[in-house]
Amino acid sequence: MSNYPSLLIRQARVLLPNGDFITGDVLTQNNKIVQVSSNICADTSVVEIDAQGLTLLPGVIDPQVHFREPGLEYKEDLFTASCACAKGGVTSFLEMPNTKPLTTNQSALDDKLHRASQKSLVNYGFFIGATADNLTELLTVNPTPGIKIFMGSMHGDLLIDEEAILDRIFSQGSRLIAVHAEDQSRIRQRRQQFADIHDPAIHSQIQDSQAALNATQLALKLSQKYHRRLHILHLSTGVEAQLLRQYKPSWVTAEVTPQHLLLNTEAYSTIGTLAQMNPPLRSPQDNQVLWRALRDGVIDFIATDHAPHTLEEKAQIYPNTPSGMPGVETSLPLMLTAAMDGKCTVSQVANWMSKAVAVGYGIPNKGEITPGYDADLVLVDLNNYKPVKREELLSKCGWSPFEGWNLTGWPVQTIVGGQIVYAQGKVNPQIRGQALSFGG
C-alpha cells in the first residue's frame, strides 16, 4: 500500500464526525485519512482534487446486496456490481448467501472472498447463510458480518420457517443474526387464495403486512429470550415500525431501503413487475411511518437490497416473475434528493448510509471523515440535478425502478482506500477493494 498516491481534496464542503460541515481540505496517505483542515499545505507529489462546490461524505456502506456470483452471473457479477457501486458512491458492501452454491460453509465463503479479491473495485464482506443443519459452520466461519436467516420468501435449504430450528440457531453463539422477516406459512396460504390473479399488484397483498409483522415478532421474541444480537433487514411496514417504537432492545437494529421509503403500491400501475420485490412495496401511509421511524432512530440505517434480474425475466407473467430490483447506483442520490426536499438532512443521510452501518456491524475505521480512518470517500454534487437514465447504468441488468427520476447528489468522484475508483463519469477497473473485518 505504500505506493498509493497521496490525495489532497481541496476546498470541499466536508462533513465532520459531529454532523457539522466545514469548507476545507482533506489529505489522504496510502489508504488512510491523515488530516482534515481549513487549509492544508502539501508537497508537489500529492495528487490534488479541486472540490470547490462539491460535498465530501464518507463512502456508503451498503449492508444488504445480492451480487449473484457465483452461479447467476448472467444477472450480475462481482465486477459489474462493484462498478455500479463505485458510480453510486458505495465503497463497501455486505453480500447475501443465496448464490449457487449457497454460502453456507467456510469453503463457499473462501471462494467468494477470493473472487472478490480478483474482481471487486470496492470493499466487501459476505454473510453466512443459515440452514437447518449447518449450526457448526454458523459458529466458526470467518470473516463474516453475521448469519442470514430467510424466515420467508425463500425455498430450498435457506428457508427456515420452523420456530424450533430458529430457536436452536438463536440459542448458540453470539454472532449477529440478520433476518428476512416474512411468515412463510401465511404467504403459502395467500398464494393459494390469490392464485388466479396475474396483476403484479397482488404481490403486496399476498405477502402482506401481517406476514411481515408475524415474522418480526417471532425474531424479536427469540432475540429477547437469548439476548441475541438481531438485525431486521429491509423493514417495509408501518406496523413493524410501530412495534419497534414500542419495544426495541438495545441489541436490536433495523434497516429500510430507499424503495420502501420512496415507492409504494402505486408504482405497479406505471412500472409493473419492475416494482416487484420481497418484502413488497407497501402503501403511501407506510412510506410516511417508515420515514418518521428513520428520523426518530427507530430504524438505524439504509440498505438497498440490490437484487437484479434481467428484463426478460421481469417480462414474464406474474407470479412467474422474480422479485427484486437493483439499487446501488441510485441509493445515495435518492436519499440526498430526499434531504434537499426537506425529508431529512445530508448529515442524517451520511449517518444512515455510512457511520451507523459501520457501528452496527462492528466495521472498524469506516463511516467518518476523521484522521486515522480509512480513506473511503465520495464527492457529490448537490447543486445540479440529472435524471436516472437506463443507458448510463453499470449494473449488468441494465434497468432501474427509478428511471426518469430527476436526482441530485450524484457522485463526482469515489475514493476507495485512498485510490480514485470513479471520476469523470468512468470507473477505474484496475482498483481493487479489500475484505472487511468485523467486530472492531
Side-chain angles (χ1 to χ4, degrees):
M1 294 185 181
S2 60
N3 58 359
Y4 284 16
S6 294
L7 302 179
L8 179 55
I9 303 167
R10 286 275 192 204
Q11 293 303 293
R13 181 172 173 252
V14 182
L15 177 64
L16 300 177
N18 66 0
D20 293 338
F21 287 89
I22 64 164
T23 298
D25 301 350
V26 174
L27 178 66
T28 75
Q29 290 178 355
N30 298 327
N31 62 340
K32 298 289 185 182
I33 299 165
V34 296
Q35 191 175 354
V36 180
S37 179
S38 58
N39 188 31
I40 296 174
C41 296
D43 62 48
T44 55
S45 66
V46 170
V47 175
E48 291 202 13
I49 299 171
D50 180 2
Q52 281 193 321
L54 302 177
T55 298
L56 186 67
L57 303 175
V60 171
I61 305 170
D62 191 332
Q64 192 196 172
V65 300
H66 302 263
F67 283 171
R68 307 305 191 195
E69 183 176 349
L72 299 164
E73 289 92 340
Y74 73 94
K75 300 176 192 274
E76 189 80 277
D77 61 60
L78 288 166
F79 177 74
T80 59
S82 65
C83 288
C85 283
K87 183 171 180 284
V90 176
T91 54
S92 301
F93 64 79
L94 304 181
E95 205 261 354
M96 290 298 164
N98 54 326
T99 44
K100 294 184 178 181
L102 304 174
T103 317
T104 55
N105 54 46
Q106 188 69 54
S107 64
L109 176 62
D110 289 344
D111 176 64
K112 275 191 173 178
L113 288 165
H114 176 71
R115 289 168 180 266
S117 71
Q118 301 298 304
K119 300 178 73 171
S120 180
L121 279 62
V122 302
N123 306 312
Y124 47 87
F126 299 99
F127 277 86
I128 183 76
T131 71
D133 56 6
N134 74 333
L135 184 56
T136 299
E137 287 84 356
L138 297 182
L139 297 172
T140 60
V141 297
N142 275 301
T144 185
I147 298 164
K148 169 67 178 288
I149 299 180
F150 288 91
M151 300 173 72
S153 295
M154 180 50 64
H155 54 81
D157 290 344
L158 286 182
L159 175 63
I160 303 183
D161 57 350
E162 296 180 27
E163 184 172 345
I165 299 173
L166 290 165
D167 189 285
R168 191 163 73 241
I169 295 169
F170 272 82
S171 71
Q172 298 189 44
S174 59
R175 179 165 280 164
L176 178 149
I177 292 174
V179 293
H180 179 127
E182 288 189 280
D183 180 347
Q184 189 66 22
S185 63
R186 182 175 176 86
I187 292 172
R188 288 193 192 101
Q189 178 264 319
R190 292 177 70 79
R191 277 181 183 157
Q192 293 176 351
Q193 181 180 346
F194 298 107
D196 296 329
I197 300 176
H198 299 290
D199 180 351
I202 200 67
H203 188 66
S204 292
Q205 293 185 50
I206 293 172
Q207 296 178 214
D208 66 350
S209 295
Q210 190 64 49
L213 180 62
N214 291 351
T216 294
Q217 287 174 324
L218 176 56
L220 281 170
K221 182 181 83 168
L222 294 172
S223 174
Q224 173 68 45
K225 181 178 180 179
Y226 297 107
H227 280 231
R228 185 64 181 267
R229 175 77 175 90
L230 172 67
H231 179 66
I232 301 166
L233 299 161
H234 44 42
L235 201 79
S236 66
T237 71
V239 289
E240 290 171 285
Q242 291 303 103
L243 172 66
L244 290 179
R245 186 180 292 278
Q246 296 162 10
Y247 172 72
K248 185 189 175 197
S250 60
W251 59 86
V252 173
T253 51
E255 71 186 28
V256 66
T257 70
Q259 51 268 36
H260 285 118
L261 293 170
L262 300 169
L263 296 175
N264 51 58
T265 49
E266 296 171 4
Y268 291 114
S269 65
T270 54
I271 60 173
T273 57
L274 298 187
Q276 180 188 333
M277 66 173 296
N278 297 330
L281 299 178
R282 308 298 185 185
S283 71
Q285 174 65 22
D286 286 293
N287 292 149
Q288 295 174 20
V289 177
L290 291 171
W291 265 113
R292 189 159 59 247
L294 181 62
R295 287 191 295 262
D296 291 346
V298 175
I299 297 173
D300 300 271
F301 43 83
I302 302 285
T304 65
D305 192 21
H306 177 97
H309 300 282
T310 67
L311 285 166
E312 290 76 15
E313 289 170 325
K314 284 288 193 177
Q316 297 176 82
I317 303 300
Y318 185 86
N320 299 316
T321 44
S323 295
M325 56 182 69
V328 293
E329 282 173 85
T330 54
S331 60
L332 183 58
L334 284 166
M335 293 305 298
L336 290 174
T337 301
M340 301 307 285
D341 288 344
K343 289 186 172 68
C344 56
T345 68
V346 174
S347 296
Q348 285 176 313
V349 170
N351 179 60
W352 297 330
M353 302 188 78
S354 299
K355 180 61 176 179
V357 182
V359 171
Y361 281 102
I363 305 171
N365 301 318
K366 294 193 187 294
E368 289 185 6
I369 303 176
T370 194
Y373 271 54
D374 295 340
D376 296 339
L377 303 162
V378 58
L379 273 169
V380 300
D381 181 359
L382 289 170
N383 299 311
N384 295 290
Y385 284 73
K386 70 172 187 174
V388 179
K389 295 181 179 179
R390 182 175 292 190
E391 61 270 20
E392 294 178 357
L393 297 170
L394 298 185
S395 176
K396 188 181 286 189
C397 71
W399 61 273
S400 167
F402 300 101
E403 186 174 357
W405 285 43
N406 202 37
L407 305 179
T408 191
W410 288 99
V412 176
Q413 292 204 23
T414 304
I415 296 165
V416 174
Q419 300 183 95
I420 300 171
V421 71
Y422 175 79
Q424 284 80 51
K426 295 182 179 179
V427 297
N428 180 348
Q430 304 306 312
I431 303 299
R432 292 293 175 268
Q434 301 293 318
L436 296 169
S437 58
F438 307 97

